[in-house]
Amino acid sequence: MEASDGQRVRDSHRRSPLDVIMSQIRRKRTASDRKPLGRFLSQTSDRAGIPEDGEMEGREERGVGEAADTEQDVGWGQVCVFLQRLGKKADSRSLSLAHCDLTATDLLELATLLQFLPQLEEMDLSWNELIGGCLKALTSYLHYVSGVRTLRLCSCRLNAEDIVAMGDGLSCALRLELLDLSWNGSVGGGGLQGLLGGLVSALPTLCVLDLSCNPQLAQEFSGGGFKELAATLSHTTSLTTLRLQACSLTTECLDALGGSLRCLPSVRELDLSCNKSLSGGLNRLTVHLSHLTQLESLNLHLCCLTRADLEALIQVLPALMALTELDVSSNKEAGGVVHPLVSALPLTQMKRLPLSSCSLNEESCTALALAVPYLHSMDVSWCKVVGGRLALLLDALQPSVITELCLSSCDLTTDDLRHLAAVCRRGCLSSLRVLDVSYNGFVGDDGWSALFAAGGLGSLEDIDLSLRPSTSASCAVWLPVLLCALPQLPALTRLAAQRWTIGSQDRQQLNHCLKKRSVLLEWDPDIRDATSSFKLTSYEESQPEE
């Protein structure tokens, strides 16, 4: 027995741990319920998380997916760090880096991070002048953000090479709707031809194109540059907004542009402002404007329009039945044609008709009063004839319609301000958000006090009471009235009162009241306090005494 027991002990030492386990299991089971070893191992492997051959491929695929997710997470972290360094917050759909002083190195780093922003829809790199000439580093990676809808590169000192590179890179941006290349002075016609040639075939959804403030745009007209550019525009049939402000356009450019506009019936906004060389040739464009049946906004501000130009415009206005905004401000001849201009407009749908700096006369004011009931914005700034006649325009206002009223430098009188106060009390200005009555030094204290005491300005957000740079006056009389009125101005966000003098105690009280409400106060900090009894009347007198 002893030998037998010793033999069993030696045998147990020779057996593997698995044999011992199996032996114990067999002792507890009958022959009928014993299971094959393979099935037992299968169950053991399931509990241990070890895949069988049939599951190995699926596990490998999941492993690859998890690795990709990890890589994406790491990449997003790099995006967050990059943006944090620039003082920006990360947003997977919007990349706003305007005014960030980006360098060529920053641009290259950003380009490599685009692969981690597949949902990006908006990209704004405007006002980064150091990236000019380096845009190809970015455009080579734009295929990672093919869903981008908005691209802004305003004032980046782009050159022709940048524009050509963009034309190539944007071939994958099939959803691009807005492209802003304004304020890039080195952009000429040749570069834009390369860009727009790509836009025609690659950007079927482009709606907004802003090429404003590129003075070289039209300088190659004699070589056919602008003609080719305009011809290319005729194929961007989805275009709704075209901005060519301050592009040195000439009357010859209007021929080429007009021909293209005939093919763009969807255009709703056309901005040709600040192109002074258009003077005397607007009829080359107006003959084509009638085809823009959906045109809602036409901007011809500061184009030195002649009376003949304005008469040609008036002839086509009845055909522009969708028009809601017409800007002919800063064209002095416009003051003499206000009556026929207003008569030709679809008045009931007009929202804006700015006539600032238009040399209005008494007849012009009377004619403008016909349009005032429908306007959401009335701007007659720098029209001296308004002074003493403001009641004519104010009495035509309809309640809760107008949101912006600009009366800067109109030689307003105290009676004008009193009448403005009466209109406030009637509730006609309950929707007003912007009120500009700056540069009206003839208004007395009673006029300002009446305005602030009137109430009825619950929607007012911005008010400008500033005086001319060469003058100054005390606000000691009407400031207490303003302080009492502040609770009735719950929407106020900006108060401009430059060159008004104020006592130290009043200044502290005003600052305290406005600071609690986060209102921006624009007040000259170095203007002599009203308690000094010294009134400034000229720039020399406004300098501190030595």
Side-chain angles (χ1 to χ4, degrees), residues 170-462:
L170 288 177
S171 60
C172 58
L174 301 179
R175 299 181 182 179
L176 192 67
E177 298 175 359
L178 185 150
L179 180 60
D180 185 353
L181 300 176
S182 59
W183 291 91
N184 287 288
S186 297
V187 172
L192 287 173
Q193 293 170 36
L195 168 64
L196 295 178
L199 291 180
V200 173
S201 58
L203 301 178
T205 60
L206 186 67
C207 296
V208 179
L209 180 60
D210 193 342
L211 304 175
S212 298
C213 301
N214 291 308
Q216 294 188 23
L217 181 63
Q219 290 182 4
E220 298 184 17
F221 184 84
S222 58
F226 189 83
K227 285 183 178 179
E228 294 183 22
L229 187 152
T232 306
L233 281 175
S234 65
H235 299 286
T236 55
T237 55
S238 60
L239 200 65
T240 60
T241 300
L242 177 60
R243 300 184 182 126
L244 297 171
Q245 175 189 1
C247 286
S248 299
L249 299 184
T250 64
T251 55
E252 289 79 10
C253 294
L254 293 182
D255 287 327
L257 182 60
S260 297
L261 292 178
R262 296 171 63 96
C263 305
L264 300 175
S266 298
V267 170
R268 291 182 172 84
E269 178 185 341
L270 180 60
D271 185 353
L272 302 177
S273 60
C274 303
N275 286 288
K276 297 182 179 181
S277 297
L278 298 183
S279 177
L282 192 63
N283 62 317
R284 300 188 181 191
L285 177 69
T286 54
V287 295
H288 304 287
L289 284 181
S290 59
H291 297 278
L292 301 182
T293 55
Q294 298 185 45
L295 188 65
E296 299 174 359
S297 176
L298 177 60
N299 193 340
L300 295 169
H301 163 80
L302 193 59
C303 286
C304 295
L305 299 182
T306 65
R307 190 178 184 90
D309 291 329
L310 291 163
E311 290 174 349
L313 174 63
I314 291 171
Q315 290 180 1
V316 75
L317 287 179
L320 304 179
M321 297 303 298
L323 198 65
T324 61
E325 299 182 9
L326 175 62
D327 191 345
V328 290
S329 60
S330 297
N331 290 288
K332 294 188 179 300
E333 293 293 332
V337 296
V338 174
H339 188 275
L341 183 70
V342 169
S343 301
L345 288 170
L347 286 183
T348 57
Q349 64 191 38
M350 290 300 296
K351 297 179 180 179
R352 293 186 69 251
L353 182 63
L355 292 171
S356 59
S357 299
C358 283
S359 298
L360 299 183
N361 52 39
E362 294 185 29
E363 182 183 355
S364 301
C365 289
T366 303
L368 179 59
L370 300 175
V372 166
Y374 311 101
L375 299 180
H376 292 196
S377 172
M378 183 171 72
D379 185 355
V380 289
S381 298
W382 301 93
C383 294
K384 308 300 184 183
V385 70
V386 175
R389 300 177 178 83
L390 185 59
L392 178 64
L393 299 176
L394 294 180
D395 289 343
L397 291 174
Q398 294 297 311
S400 304
V401 175
I402 195 163
T403 61
E404 182 180 27
L405 182 58
C406 298
L407 302 168
S408 177
S409 191
C410 285
D411 283 352
L412 299 183
T413 65
T414 301
D415 286 341
D416 288 328
L417 265 289
R418 286 174 177 156
H419 202 91
L420 181 59
V423 172
C424 291
R425 287 192 293 270
R426 292 202 303 266
C428 292
L429 300 180
S430 59
S431 297
L432 192 69
R433 295 198 298 266
V434 177
L435 175 61
D436 184 356
V437 285
S438 61
Y439 293 10
N440 285 290
F442 295 144
V443 176
D445 292 333
D446 290 346
W448 297 116
S449 297
L451 175 62
F452 299 134
L457 294 173
S459 299
L460 191 64
E461 300 173 3
D462 188 308

Side-chain angles (χ1 to χ4, degrees), residues 1-10:
M1 287 295 295
E2 294 178 359
S4 177
D5 292 338
Q7 181 67 30
R8 283 198 298 273
V9 171
R10 288 191 295 272

Side-chain angles (χ1 to χ4, degrees), residues 495-515:
L495 170 61
Q498 294 177 337
R499 289 166 291 280
W500 285 99
T501 60
I502 182 173
S504 58
Q505 292 184 351
D506 290 337
R507 181 186 293 275
Q508 291 178 3
Q509 185 178 2
L510 180 61
N511 285 335
H512 178 70
C513 293
L514 297 182
K515 187 176 182 180

